[in-house]
Amino acid sequence: MRFHNRRQAGRELAERLLEQMGADDLAQAVVLALPRGGVPIAVEVARALRVPLDVLVVRTIGVPGAPEVGIGAIADDDPPLFDSVGLAAMHLDEHKLGSEIAGERSALYRNEGFYRAGRPAPHVAGRTVVLVDDGSSVGITARAALRHLRRQGPACLVLAVPVCSRDTARALRGEVDALVCLDQPAHRMPMGEHYTEFEQITDQAIREALRQLHPA
């Protein structure tokens, strides 16, 4: 399955959410997007459900010297979550990645401050929480986010993504109460391959989307 852009994927994802879970169960939900790519999709989902939108900033921990290769992820003040198989394959020790972790933690706080512009993080205890991204390939970022949210005691934790590789979807089902996904390809591909238009999302665009859809 190939989507035209993230907005179209978000509209289709919202329809699937309503079909799979029902409008009543989602009436008091909060939608949380994983920036940056999850935000345009989450905007469409939040609008369709008529619920507030916010973000959950998770930063990927990259391999030293190759930061584009993700080996772990952090959410808020939580301990970092690492891909143990990837660490072993690259002969890396998580205890020696302190500088990478510190750098990503600083960037996480900086991004959160800019996106929310002084607003507090949403209260999720006892609520239905729908976590949205533009897709999940390896799943380390989604897993870090989901475990962070689970510790806060949501009534129902949902991961909603347009595309998720089949093995990753299987692994993530144990982290959620519901997984809503439009396409589960057998093989992992770069996320941009699933979209005809895969535009860059700016920090300012994220901030503006939150301003419009976050309750005053």
Side-chain angles (χ1 to χ4, degrees):
M1 180 181 291
R2 189 176 177 88
F3 304 99
H4 178 62
N5 55 30
R6 293 185 179 92
R7 291 176 295 280
Q8 179 230 338
R11 290 190 291 271
E12 293 188 17
L13 189 61
E15 290 178 6
R16 182 68 63 83
L17 264 165
L18 288 166
E19 290 172 2
Q20 187 168 325
M21 300 195 64
D24 290 344
D25 289 340
L26 296 167
Q28 302 300 319
V30 58
V31 173
L32 297 181
L34 288 175
R36 294 185 174 94
V39 173
I41 292 174
V43 164
E44 300 298 333
V45 172
R47 282 176 175 159
L49 302 183
R50 298 183 180 181
V51 299
L53 168 70
D54 212 309
V55 290
L56 175 56
V57 181
V58 177
R59 296 287 299 190
T60 300
I61 302 167
V63 173
E68 71 281 359
V69 180
I71 200 69
I74 51 171
D76 199 59
D77 293 323
D78 293 357
L81 178 67
F82 286 99
D83 175 3
S84 57
V85 175
L87 282 174
M90 296 183 182
H91 307 289
L92 293 172
D93 183 343
E94 63 182 81
H95 302 294
K96 296 180 181 179
L97 296 172
S99 61
E100 286 77 16
I101 296 168
E104 295 302 333
R105 187 91 67 184
S106 295
L108 186 155
Y109 295 149
R110 186 168 58 250
N111 288 349
E112 279 187 338
F114 181 78
Y115 296 153
R116 291 208 176 97
R119 291 188 299 268
H123 183 72
V124 303
R127 300 181 70 177
T128 294
V129 180
V130 181
L131 182 70
V132 176
D133 202 359
D134 57 5
S136 187
S137 180
V138 176
I140 190 71
T141 302
R143 184 174 286 109
L146 292 167
R147 291 187 179 180
H148 171 72
L149 291 169
R150 181 64 78 185
R151 282 190 281 269
Q152 298 180 55
C156 181
L157 183 55
V158 182
L159 176 63
V161 287
V163 59
C164 182
S165 61
R166 197 170 299 165
D167 57 340
T168 298
R170 198 160 39 239
L172 289 175
R173 287 187 189 278
E175 308 281 352
V176 296
D177 298 302
L179 172 64
V180 180
C181 181
L182 301 175
D183 186 28
Q184 294 184 28
H187 304 290
R188 297 174 182 175
M189 297 188 298
M191 202 50 58
E193 295 296 315
H194 298 283
Y195 295 85
T196 302
E197 295 179 1
F198 198 63
E199 71 278 13
Q200 293 294 315
I201 312 300
T202 67
D203 287 337
Q204 186 59 47
I206 293 172
R207 180 167 170 158
E208 179 62 19
L210 292 183
R211 188 190 67 79
Q212 292 181 18
L213 291 175
H214 193 284

